[in-house]
């Protein structure tokens, strides 16, 4: 007997079948959470039974596969849900926001609580801030603010005292603590030096994490995201309690709201071995991800590792040296990736500067692949043209976040000069056969996936047609960008049944306004896309009040 569908959707449906294009069909049928048919409406509707629901979409709506954000710090977003957000603010505005929260906390009798936040940018502040700035805004308060790029923390004097940072050695990790001419910490802790703060910053309870995660995932589902790849957080958690183990426990009880791939970081590797963590293993909506390593820092902190000096290199703007900073050298990358690979854990390496990208590619070239998951380089923001074709040749995915061009385009021109035309070389990567799974790097950028997809097509701020394009020759088509947001994340994660709406695939889909995909391409309209419905495993997990079907 032929299967009878639980739900049939007729209208314009992009299945993303095949290797290119959007794969339009007139209808799909869903049964037990999977697509069982896709094609002509008359053929699909023949699968209707007495209990089949039917959505007949008007011409104003269409269906796309659900989007997977290939680089979204889900647990970081969860922890930061109640923190102040100073994104986009200058120094005076940032300190005013801190002072306001400090006063609010005092008014409710909380004189000793921590004030936590995120989003500050050295480029917008105009200089490296100090603990003294925070102490003037909120005297005596323990304050820790994570930078916009999540590669440094700015803390108050009380935090320096609580964590004993002044006594930290000035070698090894301690060398990443910024100090003044007298050797005293300035209040900026770069990269892994944040571990000094972990023992003193209070952690949310398991109940608080679960409650916040539910709210964050609800927002992501409303944006059209049905899955995320979480590369972990900047934390001293070596037990995996706030990442993989949390997600896995929720998945085991059927309470994980969306698909999550969760990676581990180098300090967590031994614990991952003890737990038998292996890439690609799954429980419900949870899958074990990669080992996340860091080759360098970031553009915002001027410690992305470059082949040639920063154009604006100066002592006050380059905490490492004129060419940035290597966080994990080739020898250590090789050693860690080898150990992980022998245990069945694939690798992903953060590399923003062109020197870091080259080093990561060299290391991957020296090692065998570690299936089932594809090896990745995270960000690949500045890539020397000679290295672009190596991604496809080596089978290394470029996990990119074009949305960074909205905030990084001008800083990149200042810091990298003409090399800014080598940023996010999407067209070159695609022509070389590389996969380019798209992400947002949220909460570094907003988790909304639509502006980033639009930027991949127009290479500028999508809401400002007059905005200057960056590396316009590296733009890709809308069809390829949509596939990079849906199919490529599934491909690098060895999930052939995700990212498409072909028979056998999971029924993860979104219903969006057809106006978003109109021709000629309207970047602003596309970037403003909001789904009217999101389905996960064939079940409605978000539905706009305006949607009737």
């Amino acid at each position: 007997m032929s299967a009878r569908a639980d739900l049939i959707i007729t209208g314009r449906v992009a299945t993303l079948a095949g290797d290119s294009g959007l794969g339009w069909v007139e209808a799909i049928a869903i049964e037990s959470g999977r697509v069982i048919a896709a094609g002509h409406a008359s053929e699909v509707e023949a699968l209707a039974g007495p209990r089949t629901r039917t959505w007949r979409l008007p011409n104003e709506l269409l269906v796309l596969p659900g989007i997977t954000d290939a680089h979204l710090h889900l647990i970081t977003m969860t922890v930061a849900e109640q923190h102040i957000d100073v994104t986009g603010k200058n120094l005076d505005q940032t300190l005013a926001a801190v002072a306001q929260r400090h006063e609010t906390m005092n008014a409710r009798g909380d004189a000793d609580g921590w004030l936590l936040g995120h989003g500050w940018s050295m480029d917008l502040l105009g200089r490296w801030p100090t603990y003294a700035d925070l102490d003037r805004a909120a005297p005596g308060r323990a304050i820790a603010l994570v930078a916009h790029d999540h590669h440094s923390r700015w803390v108050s004097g009380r935090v320096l005292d609580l964590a004993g940072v002044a006594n930290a050695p000035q070698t090894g990790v301690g060398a990443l603590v910024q100090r003044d001419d007298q050797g005293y910490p300035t209040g900026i802790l770069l990269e892994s030096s944040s571990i000094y703060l972990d023992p003193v910053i209070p952690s949310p309870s398991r109940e608080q994490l679960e409650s916040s995660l539910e709210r964050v995932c609800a927002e992501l589902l409303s944006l059209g995201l049905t899955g995320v790849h979480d590369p972990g957080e900047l934390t001293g958690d070596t037990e995996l309690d706030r990442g993989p183990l949390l997600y896995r426990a929720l998945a085991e009880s059927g309470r994980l709201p969306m698909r999550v791939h969760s990676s581990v970081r180098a300090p967590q590797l031994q614990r991952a071995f003890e737990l038998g963590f292996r890439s690609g293993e799954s429980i419900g909506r949870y899958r074990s991800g990669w080992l996340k390593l860091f080759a360098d820092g970031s553009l915002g902190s001027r410690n992305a590792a470059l082949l040639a000096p920063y154009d604006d290199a100066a002592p006050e703007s380059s905490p490492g040296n004129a060419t940035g900073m290597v966080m994990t050298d080739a020898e250590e990358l090789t050693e860690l990736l080898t150990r992980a690979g022998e245990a069945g854990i694939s690798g992903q390496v953060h590399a923003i500067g062109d020197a870091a990208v080259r080093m990561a590619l060299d290391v991957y070239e020296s090692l065998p692949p570690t299936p089932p998951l594809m090896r990745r380089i995270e960000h690949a923001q500045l890539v020397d043209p000679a290295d672009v074709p190596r991604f496809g040749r080596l089978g290394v995915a470029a996990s990119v976040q074009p949305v960074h061009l909205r905030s990084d385009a001008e800083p990149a021109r200042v810091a990298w000069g003409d090399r800014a035309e080598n940023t996010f070389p999407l067209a070159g990567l695609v022509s070389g056969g590389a996969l380019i799974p798209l992400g947002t790097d949220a909460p570094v950028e907003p988790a909304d996936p639509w502006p980033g997809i639009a930027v991949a097509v127009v290479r500028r701020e999508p809401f400002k047609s007059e905005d200057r394009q960056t590396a316009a020759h590296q733009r890709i088509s809308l069809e390829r960008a949509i596939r990079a947001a849906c199919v490529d994340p599934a491909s690098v994660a060895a999930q052939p049944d995700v990212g498409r709406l072909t028979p056998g695939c999971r029924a993860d889909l979104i219903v969006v306004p057809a106006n978003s995909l109109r021709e000629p391409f309207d970047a602003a309209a596309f970037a403003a896309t909001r789904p009217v419905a999101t389905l996960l495993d064939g079940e409605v997990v978000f539905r706009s009040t305006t949607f009737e079907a």
Side-chain angles (χ1 to χ4, degrees):
M1 176 182 288
S2 299
R4 293 300 178 185
D6 298 322
L7 173 65
I8 290 176
I9 303 176
T10 64
R12 296 182 64 202
V13 180
T15 65
L16 305 194
D19 296 328
S20 62
L22 297 182
W24 293 108
V25 298
E26 296 176 349
I28 58 171
I30 298 167
E31 194 266 333
S32 297
R34 293 184 181 269
V35 177
I36 59 171
H40 295 295
S42 59
E43 297 172 352
V44 174
E45 288 179 323
L47 297 173
R51 297 183 179 179
T52 301
R53 295 171 293 138
T54 300
W55 289 4
R56 301 187 188 280
L57 300 183
N59 292 334
E60 293 76 25
L61 296 173
L62 57 82
V63 173
L64 293 172
I67 294 171
T68 295
D69 191 311
H71 192 109
L72 181 148
H73 299 270
L74 182 57
I75 199 64
T76 301
M77 290 183 66
T78 299
V79 171
E81 190 196 21
Q82 300 301 319
H83 297 177
I84 64 168
D85 184 356
V86 295
T87 302
K89 298 183 185 298
N90 61 29
L91 183 59
D92 290 340
Q93 293 167 334
T94 297
L95 295 177
V98 168
Q100 182 177 18
R101 177 61 67 91
H102 172 64
E103 292 168 3
T104 299
M105 294 173 72
N106 281 339
R108 63 174 186 243
D110 184 5
D112 296 320
W114 282 70
L115 195 164
L116 303 173
H118 63 274
W120 63 272
S121 165
M122 192 270 286
D123 288 295
L124 291 178
L125 299 187
R127 61 172 172 81
W128 285 104
T130 68
Y131 72 87
D133 295 320
L134 293 177
D135 289 352
R136 282 191 294 270
R141 178 73 64 179
I143 306 169
L145 305 179
V146 178
H148 172 73
D149 60 14
H150 281 239
H151 283 261
S152 53
R153 277 175 170 161
W154 171 21
V155 302
S156 63
R158 184 178 176 197
V159 174
L160 292 176
D161 292 339
L162 288 171
V165 177
N167 298 321
Q170 298 189 34
T171 58
V173 173
L176 298 174
V177 175
Q178 274 195 4
R179 298 175 184 271
D180 60 23
D181 293 341
Q182 284 71 47
Y184 192 80
T186 66
I188 297 296
L189 283 78
L190 297 164
E191 304 296 343
S192 57
S193 65
S194 288
I195 63 171
Y196 294 122
L197 307 180
D198 290 321
V200 296
I201 295 180
S203 296
S205 68
R206 181 62 171 262
E207 292 74 19
Q208 289 172 323
L209 281 176
E210 291 185 8
S211 178
S212 292
L213 180 66
E214 184 176 358
R215 290 190 295 270
V216 169
C217 287
E219 174 65 18
L220 299 180
L221 290 165
S222 76
L223 293 170
L225 292 171
T226 52
V228 301
H229 296 178
D230 184 349
E233 61 174 331
L234 186 64
T235 176
D237 171 28
T238 59
E239 297 301 308
L240 305 181
D241 290 334
R242 294 208 324 197
L245 294 185
L246 171 65
Y247 299 139
R248 188 164 73 180
L250 291 173
E252 287 174 337
S253 61
R255 295 184 296 130
L256 189 59
M258 62 196 308
R259 303 197 193 286
V260 178
H261 287 73
S262 183
S263 294
V264 299
R265 298 198 174 187
Q268 302 167 324
L269 189 56
Q270 184 57 44
R271 179 61 172 155
F273 291 156
E274 295 168 359
L275 293 170
F277 184 101
R278 295 180 67 87
S279 295
E281 291 187 339
S282 63
I283 297 175
R285 291 172 177 167
Y286 163 80
R287 280 169 64 92
S288 299
W290 294 257
L291 168 65
K292 169 74 178 295
L293 300 173
F294 289 84
D296 67 347
S298 69
L299 165 62
S301 296
R302 295 302 191 272
N303 55 2
L306 306 184
L307 294 171
Y310 280 84
D311 278 35
D312 65 343
E316 67 271 19
S317 65
S318 184
N321 54 50
T323 56
M325 187 181 300
V326 171
M327 299 299 173
T328 311
D329 63 24
E331 182 178 359
E332 187 175 3
L333 284 177
T334 301
E335 189 268 332
L336 287 168
L337 290 169
T338 299
R339 288 176 59 207
E342 291 171 349
I345 303 175
S346 303
Q348 58 182 154
V349 178
H350 164 113
I352 286 181
D354 50 8
V357 170
R358 178 169 293 177
M359 179 177 67
L361 288 169
D362 289 345
V363 169
Y364 278 141
E365 190 167 18
S366 71
L367 297 173
T370 53
L373 307 189
M374 183 177 289
R375 301 178 295 183
R376 309 163 49 143
I377 288 180
E378 304 304 304
H379 309 302
Q381 188 165 355
L382 179 63
V383 184
D384 188 88
D387 291 317
V388 172
R390 298 179 67 195
F391 283 83
R393 189 168 69 245
L394 297 175
V396 175
S399 174
V400 291
Q401 302 80 41
V403 70
H404 281 315
L405 287 177
R406 300 177 78 186
S407 58
D408 279 358
E410 189 55 35
R413 294 184 188 110
V414 171
W416 297 339
D418 292 342
R419 290 170 292 180
E421 289 299 294
N422 298 331
T423 57
F424 295 124
L426 305 185
L429 289 165
V430 169
S431 66
L435 295 182
I436 53 167
L438 299 188
T440 60
D441 204 9
V444 174
E445 299 288 349
D448 183 356
W450 303 97
I453 300 172
V455 171
V457 179
V458 298
R459 305 290 300 200
R460 60 167 172 78
E461 165 59 59
F463 295 108
K464 298 178 181 178
S465 59
E466 73 282 4
D467 195 45
R468 178 180 172 185
Q469 290 181 307
T470 300
H473 63 291
Q474 293 293 353
R475 60 181 177 264
I476 56 176
S477 70
L478 176 60
E479 292 178 349
R480 184 63 186 89
I482 290 174
R483 295 180 72 90
C486 299
V487 178
D488 287 17
S491 297
V492 301
Q495 287 184 294
D497 62 346
V498 173
R500 307 177 196 262
L501 296 174
T502 52
C505 287
R506 295 186 179 276
D508 299 350
L509 62 88
I510 53 179
V511 181
V512 300
N515 184 55
S516 300
L517 273 68
R518 70 173 184 246
E519 295 181 0
F521 179 63
D522 185 330
F526 186 90
T529 296
R530 286 295 177 269
V532 297
T534 302
L535 276 67
L536 187 62
D537 290 319
E539 297 295 327
V540 177
V541 290
F542 166 75
R543 185 170 188 152
S544 167
T545 57
T546 63
F547 177 59
E548 297 180 3

